């Protein structure tokens, strides 16, 4: 990941790493990504999306007179190219695994799999300055969609990671689905 310093402010470009741990072990505002397991490097892009429903109030004579926000939906989606058994099971589908006598591992995709409930952190670090962008999602549930694309010998196979972020109590004491800690764009007082 690179951070470009432009005249009007810093710009974040590129991708980074995804970290995770079981949601029950995560302490909001205290646990950092250094305490979490590095799932792997993000392939090409990561998409963090927060949207809200809205309900319009209409009258016959004046049309729409107000728009009231409803519930927020927060999602995080990316592809991870560091494929390990844990990445394919523990942090996603909850599928069972079995080590075979041959040394191979068999991964089962069963209908009874319970998707992982995790705390996630997406981190980008500028190799030149050490500045970081840390997006914490304290309660995320993997969405049970698995897709691998086998394109060609040059294209890495990535495991899709698509999570729906649920609300929990954030460090400010309010309910929410994420918080960001960063020193990008923060200048010293001296």
């Amino acid at each position: 990941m690179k951070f470009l310093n432009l005249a009007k402010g810093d710009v974040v470009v590129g991708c980074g790493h995804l970290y995770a741990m079981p949601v029950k072990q995560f302490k909001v505002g205290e646990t950092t990504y250094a305490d979490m397991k590095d799932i792997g490097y993000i392939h090409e892009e990561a998409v963090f999306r927060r949207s809200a429903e809205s309900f319009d109030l209409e009258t016959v004579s004046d049309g729409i007179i107000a728009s009231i926000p409803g519930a927020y939906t927060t999602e995080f989606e990316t592809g991870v190219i560091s494929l390990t058994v844990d990445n394919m099971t523990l942090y996603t589908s909850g599928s069972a695994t079995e080590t075979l006598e041959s040394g191979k591992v068999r991964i089962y995709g069963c209908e009874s799999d319970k998707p992982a409930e995790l705390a996630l952190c997406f981190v980008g670090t500028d190799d030149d300055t050490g500045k970081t962008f840390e997006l914490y999602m304290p309660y995320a549930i993997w969405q049970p969609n698995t897709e691998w694309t086998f394109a060609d010998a040059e294209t890495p196979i990535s495991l899709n990671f698509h999570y729906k972020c649920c609300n929990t109590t954030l460090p400010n004491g309010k309910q929410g689905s994420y918080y960001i800690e960063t020193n990008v764009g923060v200048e010293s007082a001296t």
Side-chain angles (χ1 to χ4, degrees):
M1 178 170 274
K2 292 286 182 195
F3 300 144
L4 303 179
N5 189 292
L6 304 176
K8 294 189 177 194
D10 290 332
V11 176
V12 181
V13 296
C15 278
H17 284 257
L18 184 62
Y19 296 81
M21 74 182 341
V23 72
K24 292 179 182 180
Q25 296 174 9
F26 187 82
K27 292 184 174 53
V28 176
E30 295 177 28
T31 302
T32 69
Y33 72 90
D35 303 316
M36 303 168 86
K37 165 106 170 134
D38 184 354
I39 293 179
Y41 190 73
I42 301 300
H43 175 60
E44 292 185 359
E45 68 181 15
V47 177
F48 177 79
R49 181 181 310 109
R50 187 169 191 225
S51 57
E53 297 176 23
S54 63
F55 303 96
D56 294 337
L57 294 178
E58 296 183 55
T59 65
V60 174
S61 58
D62 294 328
I64 297 173
I65 58 170
S67 186
I68 301 168
Y72 285 97
T73 300
T74 306
E75 296 177 292
F76 180 76
E77 183 172 6
T78 191
V80 173
I81 60 176
S82 303
L83 297 180
T84 67
V85 172
D86 283 348
N87 292 355
M88 290 188 279
T89 58
L90 181 62
Y91 300 113
T92 58
S93 64
S95 300
T97 63
E98 176 183 12
T99 303
L100 305 176
E101 287 183 23
S102 65
K104 292 180 180 180
V105 174
R106 182 176 290 153
I107 300 167
Y108 295 98
C110 302
E111 298 302 310
S112 60
D113 291 346
K114 183 178 185 295
E117 295 181 359
L118 302 170
L120 298 174
C121 184
F122 172 63
V123 177
T125 303
D126 187 333
D127 296 333
D128 297 330
T129 66
K131 291 187 175 187
T132 60
F133 177 90
E134 303 164 23
L135 170 60
Y136 287 93
M137 297 158 274
Y139 185 16
I141 300 174
W142 183 73
Q143 299 303 290
N145 302 308
T146 302
E147 179 180 309
W148 296 340
T149 302
F150 303 95
D152 57 57
E154 303 299 317
T155 304
I157 297 169
S158 67
L159 178 62
N160 67 315
F161 282 69
H162 184 151
Y163 295 91
K164 189 166 279 187
C165 302
C166 302
N167 287 342
T168 189
T169 304
L170 299 178
N172 64 358
K174 295 185 178 183
Q175 291 292 304
S177 57
Y178 75 98
Y179 59 96
I180 298 169
E181 294 183 5
T182 184
N183 54 5
V184 176
V186 177
E187 304 300 326
S188 64
T190 59

